[in-house]
Amino acid sequence: MKDGPDIAEVAALIGDPARANMLSALMSGRALTAGELAHEAGITAQTASGHLAKLREAGLLLVAAQGRHRYFQLSGADVAQVLEGLMGIAARTGRLRTRTGPRDPGLRKARVCYDHLAGEWGVRLMEGFLAGGRLRSDERGLSLTPAGRARFIAEGIDVDKLGAGRRPLCRACLDWSERRPHLGGALGKALLDLMLAKGWLRRAAASRLIEVTPPGQRVLARWAQGDDTLRPALATTG
């Protein structure tokens, strides 16, 4: 028996269709109840309870009690990263669902990948930040440039605090629908939080879907084109 982590056990847990649907539902970053997850998976509450217990025991889920309800969420961004990667492989190899919901085009445009922006807009921003000199990508990976640090600080993101945390500051996260990377890591989360607070983005209820508001369209379009003019970007929706 070889040494090292047992990836087969984790893969088997994720590979069950019902459990995969429940984990995918938690990619929104929001905590959901067992009943909500059972609905997402199309199974009974009793069956969902057994699946959730296995996922908790494996360390893939966290649970918090509030009143009469228990709320489940992914145990960390690394779990979301694995799920997004598997979605990318499934899309690339043609393992697509035969029934697509009406929200699919919207999800491809802009969605939450656990705690950062994904989809077409996420990829466009990543490319704009590289073109505008905020980020650098080389053989060592993705990093924040001195100019990018100054610009993000000017926009209200505490880069020093983010860099002092245990989580990587910035990480290239492969987007399953665009097949190109979007911005993850602590900076990706902080950027999404900023855009939501400014009213440039709006989250749909109980969904990974993100709506880009008209003011957000203007700001994100500038960033996507590599335009780092700070003062217009600081405008709010009022």
Side-chain angles (χ1 to χ4, degrees):
M1 185 176 185
K2 293 186 177 182
D3 296 330
D6 187 356
I7 63 173
E9 181 181 353
V10 177
L13 284 168
I14 297 174
D16 178 87
R19 290 195 287 267
N21 284 334
M22 289 192 286
L23 290 168
S24 296
L26 292 170
M27 285 284 287
S28 67
R30 290 187 168 123
L32 299 175
T33 66
E36 290 168 333
L37 290 169
H39 176 74
E40 289 287 339
I43 57 178
T44 66
Q46 184 177 2
T47 302
S49 179
H51 285 308
L52 291 170
K54 291 179 180 179
L55 293 170
R56 282 187 62 200
E57 290 168 6
L60 299 179
L61 294 184
L62 298 176
V63 62
Q66 185 171 330
R68 296 164 49 191
H69 297 288
R70 292 195 305 164
Y71 291 88
F72 295 85
Q73 60 186 41
L74 299 181
S75 60
D78 54 346
V79 179
Q81 180 183 352
V82 169
L83 294 172
E84 186 80 5
L86 288 172
M87 291 175 185
I89 293 173
R92 178 176 60 80
T93 58
R95 271 65 177 180
L96 302 174
R97 299 178 188 272
T98 56
R99 294 180 296 173
T100 57
R103 293 180 299 178
D104 281 358
L107 288 173
R108 285 175 169 81
K109 195 75 175 175
R111 64 182 182 275
V112 173
C113 177
Y114 186 60
D115 61 3
H116 54 270
L117 181 65
E120 180 185 331
W121 270 115
V123 169
R124 288 181 62 189
L125 284 185
M126 173 78 145
E127 293 175 347
F129 290 152
L130 288 167
R134 291 195 185 207
L135 300 177
R136 178 189 299 115
S137 181
D138 53 30
E139 65 277 0
R140 294 172 296 179
L142 189 68
S143 59
L144 181 65
T145 66
R149 178 181 178 278
R151 288 167 180 144
F152 283 120
I153 289 174
E155 286 155 4
I157 293 178
D158 190 341
V159 176
D160 292 333
K161 182 178 180 180
L162 295 179
R166 297 176 59 184
R167 187 175 181 183
L169 178 60
C170 48
R171 181 178 61 79
C173 183
L174 183 63
D175 195 279
W176 71 261
S177 57
E178 293 295 306
R179 318 286 177 82
R180 291 173 290 163
H182 57 248
L183 178 61
L187 181 59
K189 178 184 184 304
L191 185 63
L192 175 61
D193 291 343
L194 173 73
M195 293 187 290
L196 289 168
K198 294 285 188 181
W200 299 336
L201 302 180
R202 191 158 44 224
R203 292 194 64 164
S207 171
R208 296 177 65 190
L209 184 68
I210 287 284
E211 176 191 353
V212 183
T213 65
Q217 291 270 358
R218 295 191 290 272
V219 174
L220 270 63
R222 281 198 297 272
W223 283 352
Q225 292 166 5
D227 182 353
D228 269 329
T229 306
L230 290 178
R231 195 163 297 279
L234 287 169
T236 64
T237 60

